[in-house]
Amino acid sequence: MSIFEYNGSALVAMVGKNCFAIASDRRLGVHLQTVATDFQRIFKIHDKLFLGLSGLGSDAQTLHQRLVFRHKLYQLREERDMKPETFASLVSAVLYEKRFGPYFCQPVIAGLGDDDKPFICTMDSIGAKELAKDFVVAGTASESLYGACESMFKPDMDHEELFETVSQALISSIDRDCLSGWGGHVYVVTPTEVTERILKGRMD
Amino acid sequence: MKLDFSGLESSAPLYGGSNDLLFDGFSAAPAFDLPVTSNFDEYQKKSVQMVKPAKGTTTLAFIFKDGVMVAADSRASMGGYISSQSVKKIIEINPYMLGTMAGGAADCQFWHRNLGIKCRLHELANKRRISVTGASKLLANILYSYRGMGLSVGTMIAGWDEKGPGLYYVDSEGGRLKGTKFSVGSGSPYAYGVLDSGYRYDMTVDEAAELARRSIYHATFRDGASGGVASVYHVGPNGWTKLSGDDVGELHYSYYPVEPATVEQEMTEAVVA
């Protein structure tokens, strides 16, 4: 198994009507052994910007710390939060700096931009941005996630329906993956509130 | 090129003389033609890799005062992908003997069925049931003759014969061990932990079934390659019976129910002055 499958992960972000949802699994494993069932993969950068990091757990944590540092410096200089599009460019640049010894992570960035327009994007481990209007996926369960999201997605869902759709897509995909699962963690972000929910999943 | 199996020919006299037409095909181990290749070693290496002896599964069996308890999960995995959550890993060889499946599914299914045929022939030829010792030896000898060819079988033969309950571990390396407690597969270390700490010889059938179920559940929790349904079978003096088949996803929440968390901060409408 490759280094991306060492810890196991599943991430999905989906766009709704003036809102977005970002969800991950909760397992941290060492090959097939499950070591933790409450691992945090989605990090808040600011109230309207979330970053999910799939792949190697230690690189995910280190990369998150580096990016939070860069964002805080930006906040001090510009006296405002970063726009999601700008943050995506920052992540891409930070990843490409390590082109010949990369971070073994695939980030998923989700945020509300100008006029609270939802923005999602994903990248490979060396920073190739992939913008999407509907959903993005990453992790060991990504192929199952693509299938599930493709069939369940509808444009312009409100935040309740979006939560249901993202949860179903995540749970059904991680039930087909040995290396991710053991529950789900879903954030639904609208212009006025952030809702964080833990999903009860199969613990096998 | 046919492999030579004359050494395994059974020398037991067949009742009523040599009925070559009927029994010839079964008395010897099935002979398979080897493929014609320019590089046989390379082919052999590739065929061994094909069914990687990863044995992503959890099976266990133990003897206690009322017989043998056999349990297994039901997940089949191909690398990281779960190909099935409903595989039958406990194979019914005959009404008083069970075999467990770990390793290559095709290998286990085929050779257990072959063993069932041999056991039936033994019954007909000798007018009495084969012992667990004999059955496991038959299987072990066949697997030994295919040693190094890439078969992947890690099985336990559990049954009840004239000597009482019997349990043997047989694998594709040709090993055969008699014992009272075994667990096979990638989830076996976790199952052993629970099984070893809870085992007593004088358990009742219900206690033993719960121990087996719990061990499989804990293995499915920790091992990524085990999951699905925990099946528990009991082999007693009158043969085997299936006791339960519980989905481990539901078992988790029945063992560890989720308590609603106490709310620390509750949002309320702000009173506008």
Side-chain angles (χ1 to χ4, degrees), chain B residues 3 8 14 16 25-26 66 72 99 102 104 157 175 193 240 248 251 260-261:
Chain B
L3 293 181
L8 289 173
L14 297 169
F26 293 120
D66 288 328
I157 305 292
W240 57 259
V248 295
L251 269 185

Side-chain angles (χ1 to χ4, degrees), chain A residues 5 37-38 50 52 103-104 107 117 125 146 156-157 159-161 171 182-183 199-200:
Chain A
E5 292 163 26
T37 56
D38 57 358
F50 282 76
Y103 289 110
F104 297 114
K117 190 166 173 314
S125 55
Y146 271 125
D156 290 330
M157 287 183 279
H159 69 275
E160 288 294 337
E161 212 191 334
I171 294 290
W182 280 256
L199 300 174
K200 259 173 70 163

Side-chain angles (χ1 to χ4, degrees), chain A residues 154-175:
Chain A
K154 283 191 334 252
D156 290 330
M157 287 183 279
D158 68 8
H159 69 275
E160 288 294 337
E161 212 191 334
L162 185 64
F163 166 70
E164 289 296 333
T165 309
V166 159
S167 307
Q168 288 288 28
L170 183 71
I171 294 290
S172 59
S173 305
I174 60 186
D175 280 349

Side-chain angles (χ1 to χ4, degrees), chain B residues 91-124:
Chain B
I91 298 160
E92 297 141 12
I93 298 170
N94 58 42
Y96 57 94
M97 222 187 297
L98 292 174
T100 59
M101 183 200 291
D107 290 336
C108 291
Q109 280 173 6
F110 180 88
W111 291 111
H112 278 124
R113 186 129 168 92
N114 185 274
L115 179 65
I117 294 170
K118 289 231 158 46
C119 292
R120 180 71 184 133
L121 285 172
H122 177 103
E123 260 181 58
L124 293 170

Side-chain angles (χ1 to χ4, degrees), chain A residues 6-180:
Chain A
Y6 184 72
N7 290 134
S9 53
L11 267 178
V12 58
M14 220 184 251
V15 162
K17 196 167 178 67
N18 293 333
C19 62
F20 69 86
I22 181 165
S24 76
D25 72 321
R26 306 190 79 206
R27 178 183 182 267
L28 179 77
V30 170
H31 288 303
L32 288 173
Q33 179 179 56
T34 304
V35 172
T37 56
D38 57 358
F39 191 65
Q40 183 86 349
R41 269 194 188 91
I42 299 174
F43 306 101
K44 188 178 93 159
I45 305 293
H46 62 76
D47 279 331
K48 290 184 181 172
L49 179 56
F50 282 76
L51 168 73
L53 288 163
S54 72
L56 193 64
S58 85
D59 278 353
Q61 289 179 334
T62 307
L63 193 56
H64 159 244
Q65 287 165 5
R66 290 238 157 118
L67 290 167
V68 161
F69 168 70
R70 298 288 293 264
H71 180 254
K72 283 188 175 167
L73 270 182
Y74 183 94
Q75 273 179 327
L76 287 171
R77 288 191 183 122
E78 302 253 338
E79 290 174 8
R80 65 181 178 88
D81 289 330
M82 244 192 207
K83 282 195 267 203
E85 295 86 353
T86 318
F87 186 71
S89 298
L90 170 67
V91 176
S92 175
V94 166
L95 289 174
Y96 199 80
E97 269 169 17
K98 301 269 184 227
R99 169 65 175 82
F100 299 109
Y103 289 110
F104 297 114
C105 289
Q106 274 149 330
V108 165
I109 294 153
L112 291 173
D114 288 334
D115 300 325
D116 291 330
K117 190 166 173 314
F119 169 87
I120 51 170
C121 90
T122 185
M123 288 168 213
D124 68 0
S125 55
I126 46 175
K129 258 188 286 189
E130 188 213 305
L131 307 169
K133 292 203 172 71
D134 40 16
F135 57 86
V136 290
V137 304
T140 50
S142 58
E143 280 150 357
S144 296
L145 276 166
Y146 271 125
C149 291
E150 195 69 61
S151 54
M152 294 187 200
F153 179 78
K154 283 191 334 252
D156 290 330
M157 287 183 279
D158 68 8
H159 69 275
E160 288 294 337
E161 212 191 334
L162 185 64
F163 166 70
E164 289 296 333
T165 309
V166 159
S167 307
Q168 288 288 28
L170 183 71
I171 294 290
S172 59
S173 305
I174 60 186
D175 280 349
R176 274 289 176 182
D177 183 24
C178 298
L179 303 170
S180 53

